[in-house]
Amino acid sequence: MNKDQPTFPLRFYPAILVIFSSLWLSACDNKPPLQSISMGAPQSTQASLIWLTDDLGFFEEQGIQLDLHAHPSGKRALAAMLRGEVKLAVTAETPFVIASFKRDDLRLYASMGQSDNELRILARRDHGINQPADLRGKTIATQQGSAVHFFLSSFLLYYQLDSTSTSTRFMKAEDLPAALTKGDIDAFSMREPYLSQAKKLIGIDKLVEFSVPGLYTKSYNLVGTADFDNNHPGVIRKILFALNKGANYADKNPDKALQIISRKLQLPQVTVASLLSDMRLSVTLNQGLLITLQEEAQWAVTTGLIKPDKQSDTQIPDFLTRINSTPLEEAIPYAVGLIGIKPR
Amino acid sequence: MMIRSKLKLLTAGAVFVVVLTAIVTWLEHLTIQKQNHREDAVEQLQTEAVNLNIITIDLLHDAQIRIQSKQWLIIYNNLGKKITDSPLHEQTTYPILKKQHQKIGQRFNTYIQAHENCQQKKVTKKSAVYTTNSCHELQRRLGNQIRLAQQDLLVEIHKIHQRLGAQSRRQDFIGGMLLLALPLLMLIFIAVLVLPVTRSLNTGLTRLLKASERFSRGDFGYRLDVDGHDEMAILATTYNTMAQRREEAEKLLRKTEKNLSHSQKMDAIGQLTGGIAHDFNNLLCIIQGNLELLERQTAGDDKAHKRIENIQNSTQRAADLTSQLLGFSRRQAEHVTVTNINQIIQEMENLISRSVTPQVEVQLHFAENLWLTAIDTGDFQDTLINLVLNARDAMSGRGQLTLETQNCYLDAAYCSLNPGANPGEYVQLAVSDNGEGMSGERQNRIFEPFFTTKAQGKGTGLGLAMVFGFIKRCKGHIKVYSEPNIGTTFRIYLPKAEAENLPDKQTKIQTGKLPRGIETLLAVDDEADLLELAKESLQEQGYRVITATNGNQALEKLTEEPSIKLLFSDIVMPGGINGYELAEQATRQYPELKVLLTSGYTEKSVAHNGQARFNANLLSKPYSQAELIQQVRALLDEPV
């Protein structure tokens, strides 16, 4: 290099570095703070997508600091929301249907997973139960007002066993394995991990497991309230967007997704893999869900789950007004397949 | 494509048809069997259950058919979303779709099983509690399960479509970015690399463009500066070479045009003067002939003889002038002899010395072994005298006159620069003076007849014109070098004589007593007076002369008078038969007939093949009666 050629003084480089670093840091500082949102979710495969998405940090990417609260079931998570402990909840549609009779401000935003072969009827073989027809006259327990309750109803219908030919008892989910072990009940309608707990307690040889794939599709839904919608505009959309990103990640990276879900749920990968094989992690809003909500509402009334305090309490809610499809339409337009929902 | 061959669509119901038709139209993979009536569709389903592929649940329910085929697809008809752009054809490549299809099939069969159970229950009535309502409720629930699966399938299809779309958009984006980046890269490339080169190239091109414009305007003298060895330098060099060649070609062209123009001009003047001289020659012949007759008739009358002699002198001068004019116009018949001009010049040395003043020093330089040349010696002498006199006048009576001869060869290069010259060997005579010289304009006109810079009465303006005519006539070349106040050199180039060109015979005009004869002659000329003069002259010498004024008449006379021994005919005659043709026909008919032709010039009458032989006996006009008589006698005395 020609020495006579003017060169940029080296001493200026640190100064420039400092200036650019400051600008970069100030740009970072300008990033809006994460919006903290509390959510209750069952610590089970039902809410796999939530746990996976949270672990991947996709919520934070959307500016959401999700405060996840683990619950034994979706019904409990919804109950927590109804008590105001969390802002949002992940639950099956059945608890939402039941709760909708009492609360017209509940909102369902989207399903984040479906499973049509998750629920089982686990019966004591040593109680003379070898096939579904043998359940006649037996005591079958389940969690009242939940998906397993509705599954039991459909199962009995399918095998021409109406509620009068069996005895139904209701108890908490976590109490079912012990009840079956003790012999207080002959069978129960439930899901994992309680099925495994019972098998472990009783022994698989003494048990028989019934399933009817496709008989009932259980959905896991993100629910909230109208107040939340009003007070947190855009949050649901961001959450759904993040969830969809998580679902796409699971599609493309099933092994990695399995590892994450197993770690989050503290379940063996084999178990999770088995459960996920019948699950579909996808953020949707389908017409079938709307019909299911109506069906279950009708079922809830028919079976007396809904005990009206006044005449209007038994009226089937208009679930079109309880479903807020706008956030999903904004986040994932093609995922909305509802008829009667106002077009965007 | 596999799907297309296996899937068949059975439809019933207008709305469904519209939706599915749109799908199928887009997919182009399915075939539609449309049944407008539900009953017809059900009947077809029952008879073609295996072919069932796409069907509504309600239709299946009505048909009460289990799904047998594994390759099927169910699309629910009350879907509100647009699905026509779903990539259904991709279903086999996506496990999730296959899984959903299986779920749908599974649930549908469950539905059919429940339906069959209900039907059986109704028939057997085993359970009173299992009511029809229970069946309906179960079927409703199961139907909804199918719908859920169907819609999940559609969502998956949409997701795949979305993914494909995203990929497409990503590809489009990448493509777009590339498209965007490419011009940017090009711009950068242009800015960094091309622009400086272009600027340099541009400058060069601009210069080249300007040069080309000047070139197109005819300015061939402009040259580009050649700097370096790059393409522009090569272009500039090429342009310069082209321009230089074009400039040289242009100069040559202009010079050629100038020479051609001059040549044409001289030719036109030659034709004009030649025509005038020819007619004038005929008049002079008549005058001279009659003067000769009158001179004989007035023998002894000295006074009359004196007047006749004055008239004859004037007539001779007039004949000399016409001879010079004809010499310039190249229409005068030639008397070519092969000669050495050194000898002629030496013979003329005294004449040359007397032609110039004593103050003019005459130097003669003769080349040894000078080639011979075939020329008309008389014309050459006239030419030499004319050049000497021209030099004398240019030197104003004082100076140095140099005559120099040498052998030389004019090459093609010289000839290309001097139009009219032909390459070959020449005998050169250079006549130089150190007189006043001439300007270029004057040089261009000095060979024009009647062009003269001399005082009135001192020059006719025919001297150099006659020189020019002589040179052209003998197929030579003349070149003038002149500088004002320095002097002038005329170089005349006379072609070296070839052996075959040497004349076989030279006519020698005898002087003294005119020969006589008694033979019958046929004289032919369209000029009646000239014809009559020739007749009288020949008759005076004892000949019997028959005359004719044109060729046809002459042929008739030849037929009428077989005794005719000689045909004396003008060459140029009206009536369709010229002298050559007449001579040819006459000699063909009368081989022993002798022929003597006469003409003021020969160009107009082209001697065709075989006719040129008659040029051996040619009497040029104006001829003297003595020449005529001597020529006639000589021919008659020749053996046949």
Side-chain angles (χ1 to χ4, degrees), chain B residues 321-524:
Chain B
L321 281 174
T322 57
S323 178
Q324 288 182 349
L325 282 173
L326 286 169
F328 166 73
S329 67
R330 297 168 291 167
R331 291 177 181 177
Q332 189 178 40
E334 299 174 10
H335 300 279
V336 176
T337 58
V338 176
T339 186
N340 185 327
I341 62 170
N342 280 350
Q343 187 179 347
I344 298 176
I345 296 169
Q346 282 174 337
E347 290 174 358
M348 293 178 66
E349 188 174 357
N350 289 334
L351 179 61
I352 293 169
S353 297
R354 286 198 302 273
S355 297
V356 296
T357 60
Q359 289 75 26
V360 173
E361 180 188 354
V362 178
Q363 292 185 352
L364 301 176
H365 300 281
F366 298 112
E368 294 181 357
N369 302 319
L370 190 68
W371 294 328
L372 299 180
T373 181
I375 55 173
D376 184 322
T377 53
D379 282 352
F380 177 75
Q381 289 169 349
D382 290 345
T383 295
L384 184 57
I385 290 299
N386 272 315
L387 290 174
V388 168
L389 295 176
N390 196 68
R392 181 201 64 186
D393 294 342
M395 292 184 289
S396 300
R398 185 183 296 273
Q400 181 175 311
L401 173 67
T402 305
L403 277 69
E404 183 179 10
T405 62
Q406 64 176 4
N407 298 325
C408 71
Y409 176 80
L410 297 184
D411 57 12
Y414 176 87
C415 295
S416 66
L417 296 173
N418 294 275
N422 295 311
E425 294 173 319
Y426 289 87
V427 175
Q428 183 198 95
L429 166 66
V431 180
S432 303
D433 66 68
N434 56 356
E436 60 185 0
M438 292 181 287
S439 65
E441 184 183 357
R442 187 174 161 190
Q443 289 179 43
N444 291 334
R445 299 194 62 189
I446 55 174
F447 296 116
E448 291 180 13
F450 311 113
F451 176 79
T452 180
T453 57
K454 297 173 186 173
Q456 192 170 8
K458 287 193 173 181
T460 60
L462 289 171
L464 289 178
M466 177 271 199
V467 170
F468 182 82
F470 164 71
I471 297 299
K472 290 299 172 188
R473 193 161 56 248
C474 65
K475 295 181 173 55
H477 172 63
I478 186 167
K479 183 75 177 176
V480 181
Y481 300 92
S482 183
E483 289 289 335
N485 303 320
I486 293 178
T488 302
T489 297
F490 284 90
R491 293 182 188 277
I492 63 173
Y493 299 86
L494 304 173
K496 178 185 176 185
E498 301 294 337
E500 61 269 25
N501 290 339
L502 297 178
D504 296 332
K505 177 187 173 186
Q506 293 298 316
T507 302
K508 189 72 177 175
I509 302 299
Q510 301 294 326
T511 57
K513 190 178 178 182
L514 293 175
R516 298 183 60 85
I518 57 170
E519 293 90 347
T520 303
L521 311 177
L522 175 60
V524 187

Side-chain angles (χ1 to χ4, degrees), chain A residues 116 153-154 157-158 160 162 215-217 277 280 284 286-288 291-292 295 299 334 336 339, chain B residues 78 81 99-100 103 107 110 117 121 129-130 140-141 144-145 148 151-152 155-156 158-159 162:
Chain A
D116 65 350
S153 169
S154 297
L157 276 175
Y158 186 77
Q160 303 168 19
D162 63 5
L215 178 64
Y216 166 59
T217 299
S277 64
R280 176 170 160 267
T284 60
N286 291 338
Q287 185 69 13
I291 295 172
T292 298
E295 187 71 36
W299 164 79
Y334 64 84
V336 180
I339 299 172
Chain B
N78 62 353
K81 297 296 289 183
K99 185 178 178 181
Q100 287 301 313
K103 284 184 181 295
R107 293 179 193 185
T110 303
N117 289 345
K121 185 61 67 180
V129 295
Y130 196 76
R140 193 171 60 245
R141 290 186 187 184
N144 192 46
Q145 294 304 305
L148 275 171
Q151 292 178 18
D152 286 345
V155 169
E156 293 303 333
H158 276 290
K159 286 179 70 175
Q162 195 79 1

Side-chain angles (χ1 to χ4, degrees), chain A residues 61-124:
Chain A
E61 285 181 4
Q62 297 299 317
I64 303 296
Q65 177 66 57
L66 200 62
D67 180 19
L68 269 175
H69 295 252
H71 295 270
S73 66
K75 181 181 178 180
R76 302 278 188 85
L78 178 62
M81 189 192 81
L82 296 175
R83 291 193 300 268
E85 296 172 3
V86 292
K87 298 293 183 182
L88 301 170
V90 177
T91 180
E93 75 283 346
T94 311
F96 175 79
V97 168
I98 302 300
S100 293
F101 280 95
K102 300 293 183 183
R103 296 275 297 264
D104 59 1
D105 63 333
L106 297 183
R107 294 294 181 266
L108 190 151
Y109 305 110
S111 297
M112 62 183 72
Q114 296 82 31
S115 173
D116 65 350
N117 196 26
E118 180 194 7
L119 307 183
R120 299 283 189 273
I121 303 295
L122 191 64
R124 294 287 296 260

